[in-house]
Amino acid sequence: MNKRLQFGRASSILVSLPAVALWLILCVAAAVGDLLVLSAAFAFLFLLSGAAFLWGARSIRHVTLEVACSRTRLYPDMETTFSYTVKNDKLLPLIWLELSQGIPERGCLTPDETFERYACLSGEAQGQESAPDAADRPAPDAYRRTFSFVMGHETLTLRSVWTARRRGVYRMDRLMLRSGDGFGLSQVEAPCPPGKLPQVLVYPRSVPVDISLFLQEQWRQSAGSAGYQEDMAVLRGLRPYQPSDSWKRINWRMAARTQELKVNFYETIQPLSALFVLDGESLCGLSADYAELEQALELLGSVIARLFRRGVTCGLALPASRRYSAVTLPPVEGRSAAELLGLLAGYDCLAQHLFAENGDRLEQCAPSRFDERAVLTAASEAGRIYLITCAPDGPVHGLVGRLGAARVTVFAAAGGASSADPDLRVVPLRRLAKGAAI
């Protein structure tokens, strides 16, 4: 094959430029030697390969592809619709046209029956030559949809419903159009410009959680305050007394003057915010399916979403991972839950763990690598810091000391975990689940 394509298919060697030149030379040589039958055969091969080469080279020209996504932020089990618009903006028709795109990582999204899944040639999914050990690696997969007879100046529209299956990020950076000649000998492809491709985030699964602990710790009041408190120094006005009002709010001076019960209501302010620090590496590889990490991300994502809905600003600190370097988003005004959930959707721990046949982990994880300066700065803007880790006295204990143990609450995934530091509050992570006693 003379040209490798992104998804593992290529033009036949019979239509490569050296082959076309060879057929022409052999045709002339046979004609000079009075081998007319052989010359005619070589002439046929020359015309066939030349026509296939030119046809295939020009088939994909002036063919454009646009893709749109109805919803780019999803929770598992939600659906989104991808709309593909293919326009053949030339007179020459296409005998066949194939739309190909890469498989979402970890199967976070799956399409309906519009697309079929197929295995690529090993080493070609990234448009590279096959490595010597390519045979030892499993062939990557891709999705494809094939169209027949796309006429000149015709526009095709394809809609496909995709379902979110699990947490992850889908970057459509390998969306390709492929076409060629009608003989199937020559193929060319054209990628869709990366700037026009949507990115889909599948958040951690939303689970029922109890956030009363966070509200009680920071504002020393019940969860019914919705995450807000009143500034008793700023009186906004008076309103008629209601049976549910506390007697402490009654304006007794006004009652003595008008013989009518009125209660004070004050300016509502947003209280101290929260910073969540995820010690992801300590949670990775505790089991072969990484269930502990996924459970922690589900609980953390659900808590963050609920706190934002209740008016509480949250920040997030993540260690370095395989997708991005250490990142810290401080709990500042204007911060949104989508920013934090997007980081959790793409988090993938840095360490690679090996497991024996019996399921025992063969490698120990390395400590999480945070941007400690950014974490300490963000912590100064938060009223309380919450650390999600495997054990409170693990490798991140030094960071806890710099943050101030009295300001940190640790949610430990290890059951029955405790800390030698009496100022450090340790809560089992599983108790965040709705209905568990805090």
Side-chain angles (χ1 to χ4, degrees):
M1 292 192 175
N2 69 329
K3 181 182 179 182
R4 296 193 180 276
L5 296 181
Q6 178 122 8
F7 291 99
R9 299 173 62 186
S11 301
S12 170
I13 195 173
L14 296 176
V15 297
S16 62
L17 284 177
V20 174
L22 177 62
W23 302 139
L24 179 60
I25 293 173
L26 293 177
C27 175
V28 174
V32 172
D34 291 332
L35 301 174
L36 298 182
V37 176
L38 189 59
S39 177
F42 286 133
F44 172 77
L45 290 175
F46 168 71
L47 293 175
L48 177 63
S49 59
F53 176 81
L54 294 176
W55 189 352
R58 295 181 176 275
S59 62
I60 207 68
R61 292 186 179 183
H62 304 293
V63 178
T64 59
L65 170 64
E66 295 180 359
V67 59
C69 183
S70 62
R71 180 182 295 173
T72 59
R73 302 294 185 269
L74 306 169
Y75 283 99
D77 300 328
M78 295 178 65
E79 294 182 345
T80 185
T81 301
F82 285 95
S83 299
Y84 306 85
T85 302
V86 181
K87 182 181 296 185
N88 181 20
D89 199 15
K90 65 178 185 298
L91 186 60
L92 179 68
L94 301 175
I95 302 300
W96 62 273
L97 180 68
E98 184 178 281
L99 172 65
S100 301
Q101 63 187 84
I103 297 290
E105 62 179 24
R106 299 184 298 180
C108 62
L109 285 168
T110 56
D112 56 15
E113 64 278 0
T114 304
F115 285 86
E116 66 170 338
R117 181 168 180 163
Y118 72 103
C120 311
L121 298 180
S122 180
E124 295 179 357
Q126 299 297 332
Q128 301 174 352
E129 297 292 330
S130 299
D133 61 343
D136 299 331
R137 298 195 303 266
D141 290 348
Y143 287 124
R144 68 181 176 188
R145 171 64 185 267
T146 304
F147 305 91
S148 300
F149 295 102
V150 183
M151 304 305 295
H153 300 287
E154 183 180 359
T155 300
L156 299 177
T157 301
L158 173 68
R159 290 182 174 84
S160 177
V161 178
W162 293 58
T163 304
R165 300 299 181 185
R166 54 164 297 168
R167 177 183 65 89
V169 178
Y170 184 32
R171 292 188 174 94
M172 298 181 64
D173 54 356
R174 293 195 294 147
L175 186 63
M176 293 282 176
L177 281 178
R178 183 181 297 113
S179 187
D181 65 290
F183 308 111
L185 298 175
S186 178
Q187 300 180 28
V188 291
E189 66 181 14
C192 186
K196 298 183 178 180
L197 296 177
Q199 175 178 279
V200 181
L201 302 179
V202 181
Y203 297 149
R205 187 178 300 275
S206 179
V207 296
V209 290
D210 187 348
I211 63 171
S212 60
L213 168 67
F214 305 96
L215 300 178
Q216 291 170 1
E217 274 197 337
Q218 296 189 65
W219 303 281
R220 298 180 181 177
Q221 55 187 27
S222 65
S225 63
Y228 288 87
Q229 68 180 15
E230 293 180 325
D231 187 351
M232 305 301 290
V234 182
L235 179 64
R236 291 187 58 186
L238 301 172
R239 62 173 175 80
Y241 172 80
Q242 298 178 0
S244 59
D245 290 330
S246 171
W247 62 271
K248 296 180 180 180
R249 293 177 175 268
I250 298 176
N251 191 315
W252 296 107
R253 290 186 179 180
M254 184 65 65
R257 184 184 308 168
T258 63
Q259 302 298 315
E260 186 177 353
L261 290 180
K262 297 283 188 179
V263 295
N264 301 326
F265 67 95
Y266 302 91
E267 184 70 29
T268 302
I269 62 172
Q270 182 172 316
L272 299 174
S273 50
L275 175 66
F276 292 90
V277 181
L278 176 66
D279 180 17
E281 294 300 320
S282 69
L283 299 168
C284 288
L286 297 178
S287 59
D289 58 357
Y290 287 49
E292 294 80 6
L293 174 64
E294 294 302 323
Q295 180 187 32
L297 291 173
E298 290 174 359
L299 290 172
L300 177 57
S302 301
V303 166
I304 289 175
R306 284 203 61 190
L307 287 177
F308 269 101
R309 287 198 295 267
R310 302 289 291 273
V312 181
T313 301
C314 301
L316 178 65
L318 294 178
S321 65
R322 281 189 281 173
R323 186 178 301 277
Y324 37 65
S325 57
V327 59
T328 301
L329 297 182
V332 297
E333 185 177 356
R335 184 74 66 204
S336 66
E339 295 178 83
L340 277 57
L341 293 175
L343 290 177
L344 296 180
Y347 179 76
D348 199 0
C349 56
L350 191 61
Q352 296 288 333
H353 302 287
L354 300 178
F355 291 86
E357 293 183 359
N358 61 359
D360 294 338
R361 187 169 64 174
L362 301 180
E363 292 184 356
Q364 297 297 320
C365 64
S368 296
R369 300 202 302 265
F370 292 95
D371 184 350
E372 292 198 8
R373 179 177 297 181
V375 174
L376 294 174
T377 301
S380 65
E381 304 178 21
R384 192 75 183 174
I385 300 99
Y386 300 96
L387 172 64
I388 294 89
T389 184
C390 179
D393 292 329
V396 295
H397 185 69
L399 176 61
V400 173
R402 288 184 285 276
L403 291 171
R407 299 180 58 211
V408 178
T409 297
V410 175
F411 290 98
S418 60
S419 174
D421 191 339
D423 295 329
L424 187 63
R425 183 180 183 186
V426 180
V427 179
L429 180 63
R430 63 179 180 272
R431 291 190 181 176
L432 286 179
K434 187 71 172 179
I438 301 294

